[in-house]
Amino acid sequence: MRGLIWNCRGVGKKGMATYLSDMISDHSLDFLGLQETMKKEFTPKCLRRIDPYDQFKWNWIPSEGKSGGILCGVRHDTLEIVS
């Protein structure tokens, strides 16, 4: 099992979605946790840029103002979300 937990300080930066997608692919990640996303909501389009093959189940906690926010992705064919 491989995972990445990262304090990314803003997931909406230019090129970040491509970078995350490449990290998932290059390192065969099973889970991804991002802190300080600075986003209130993640649209399906935004998540598709990070996960173009829809391999992950995504959950998030919205940011409050310009700080906080957590995005968590779990590969659904490897891991199971219990609660």
Side-chain angles (χ1 to χ4, degrees), residues 8 12 45 58 61 63 77-78:
C8 66
K45 180 181 178 181
W58 297 97
I61 298 172
S63 67
D77 65 347
T78 306

Side-chain angles (χ1 to χ4, degrees), residues 4-62:
L4 172 69
I5 298 175
W6 182 25
N7 184 347
C8 66
R9 298 287 300 149
V11 78
K13 297 175 189 173
K14 183 178 179 179
M16 182 65 80
T18 303
Y19 181 76
L20 291 171
S21 179
D22 290 347
M23 287 288 287
I24 289 169
S25 175
D26 293 348
H27 298 284
S28 302
L29 297 180
D30 296 310
F31 66 90
L32 176 68
L34 301 175
Q35 301 174 126
E36 295 291 332
T37 61
M38 298 184 200
K39 288 183 75 83
K40 291 191 183 299
E41 187 174 318
F42 289 88
T43 64
K45 180 181 178 181
C46 177
L47 294 174
R48 237 183 349 266
R49 287 188 314 213
I50 297 170
D51 179 21
Y53 302 109
D54 197 30
Q55 298 173 326
F56 285 72
K57 170 69 176 148
W58 297 97
N59 289 299
W60 63 88
I61 298 172

